[in-house]
Amino acid sequence: MTFKSYENQGVIVLQIEGSLIGEEVGSGLLDAANDAINNGLVQCAIDIEKVKYINSSGIGVLITLLTKFRNQEGEVIIVNPSEHVKKLLIITKLTAIFKIADSVEQAVNELIS
């Protein structure tokens, strides 16, 4: 898995590619989230369009990110999950706690409004 993070209109965007598995993979994401929060960015869009596979550890990373940002009065929106990942989010009932957007632009607009 690789990821990059960037700011878009005051929103931190975490763009993930590959497989979101294992906590060692998630530590880089959590570090990026901590850096964003320390810099005053509390709104986050997680672009998982290019995530091919996610396991329970990956879901744990997403929930940890959500908790970090909500503890700072922020929010997290998941962007464009694949059909496989979307089914997993539905089965695990995570669609009840995560907002989902079709594009980074839609997520940013929701987060800044």
Side-chain angles (χ1 to χ4, degrees), residues 14-100:
L14 299 174
Q15 193 171 42
I16 306 169
E17 190 170 334
S19 295
L20 185 51
I21 55 174
E23 293 187 11
E24 71 283 347
V25 169
S27 65
L29 285 169
L30 299 177
D31 290 344
N34 287 331
D35 290 345
I37 290 168
N38 290 336
N39 289 317
L41 301 175
V42 296
Q43 307 298 347
C44 179
I46 304 174
D47 183 355
I48 60 173
E49 177 180 9
K50 295 181 179 174
V51 170
K52 296 177 176 72
Y53 178 77
I54 186 169
N55 69 2
S56 59
S57 293
I59 287 173
V61 169
L62 293 177
I63 292 170
T64 301
L65 289 168
L66 179 70
T67 303
K68 280 186 176 298
F69 284 99
R70 284 194 177 165
N71 283 344
Q72 300 298 318
E73 307 299 322
E75 187 55 75
V76 171
I77 295 181
I78 294 190
V79 178
N80 204 10
S82 68
E83 283 304 311
H84 170 74
V85 173
K86 194 181 290 185
K87 285 179 187 173
L88 186 62
L89 293 173
I90 291 168
I91 290 168
T92 56
K93 302 204 183 304
L94 290 175
T95 52
I97 62 168
F98 280 105
K99 294 180 181 177
I100 297 177

